[in-house]
Amino acid sequence: MAHKRALNRTLKDLRNDSRCFGGAMILLSGDFRQTLPIIPRSTAADEINACLKSSNLWRYVKKLQLTTNMRVALLNDTSAKDFSEQLLTIGNGQVPVDESSELISFPNNFCNFVSSKDELINNVFPDIISNYKNNE
C-alpha cells in the first residue's frame, strides 16, 4: 500500500487536476489491516499514521464490505469457515488480551502442526500426489 499522500498527489499530477484524487473515481480493495505502507526505519506508529485510513481523504471514501467468504462457501468446508471466522475475530480486535502478557490466546483448533515438509504438502494439497501420478 502506498503512503497516504502518494496516491492523492500522484493522481492530481497525472490528471493535472487539483481536486481530491485528481477528480478520479478509484476502486481500492483489500483488507486494510494487512496493507500498511512500507517505510524504511519506521515504527509501527509511523506506518499506521501513513496509511490511507489515517488520511483526511478517508472521509471521501465510500466503504463497501464483502459479507460472504466465497472460498468457504464454494468448498462447503466447515473447518475453513471456522478458521475464516477466527481470523475476522482477531482482525476486528474481539479476542480478549491477557493483561499481564498483553498476548491473545488462539483457540485449540486454530491451526494444525506438522512435523515434516511432506506432511505439510499433504495437508495443504491432499490430492497433489495422486493428481501428479495420474497426469504422467
Side-chain angles (χ1 to χ4, degrees), residues 51-96:
C51 75
L52 185 60
K53 284 185 76 173
S54 297
S55 169
N56 61 353
L57 299 172
W58 191 247
R59 64 182 165 190
Y60 300 110
V61 174
K62 181 177 181 180
K63 295 158 269 308
L64 305 173
Q65 283 189 310
L66 301 176
T67 57
T68 302
N69 182 323
M70 293 308 294
R71 184 181 302 167
V72 170
L74 292 174
L75 294 176
N76 200 22
D77 181 350
T78 56
S79 65
K81 182 178 185 294
D82 292 343
F83 181 70
S84 173
E85 289 172 358
Q86 290 168 345
L87 284 180
L88 286 174
T89 301
I90 292 167
N92 291 334
Q94 298 169 331
V95 176

Side-chain angles (χ1 to χ4, degrees), residues 2 6 12 16 22 28-29 32 44 56 62 79 92 113 118 125 136:
K12 284 180 177 182
N16 196 25
L28 306 170
S29 69
F32 285 93
N56 61 353
K62 181 177 181 180
S79 65
N92 291 334
F113 292 96
D118 290 336
F125 305 105
E136 286 186 326

